[in-house]
Amino acid sequence: MAEQNPPSGNKIFLNDGHGVFTDSGQSLGDSNTWNAALGDLSGDGDLDVFLGNAVRDRSSGKTVFVGSPDRVLFNNSLHE
């Protein structure tokens, strides 16, 4: 699970399998993330993450998807 936490980044929480989440101490990016998706985007067997970011237009109050680009973060695990 991830929690949006600007400006310090999107916090990552780990599930223990019994519905209890603990803060992993890790964060991904520092954007205004609204969506995240995990998948093996690079074909190396490791989960990568896509972050869908957005910015609220204060003049109209609408959420628009500009000014904060979406990001793909690749897991470069060394499998140690």
Side-chain angles (χ1 to χ4, degrees), residues 34-78:
W34 285 56
N35 297 295
L38 300 173
D40 182 10
L41 302 174
S42 59
D44 63 0
D46 295 324
L47 285 178
D48 305 305
V49 64
F50 170 82
L51 300 175
N53 300 316
V55 174
R56 182 163 296 278
D57 180 351
R58 294 188 186 272
S59 63
S60 70
K62 295 181 181 177
T63 300
V64 293
F65 295 92
V66 298
S68 183
D70 297 336
R71 295 183 64 190
V72 174
L73 302 172
F74 292 101
N75 179 353
N76 294 322
S77 172
L78 299 177

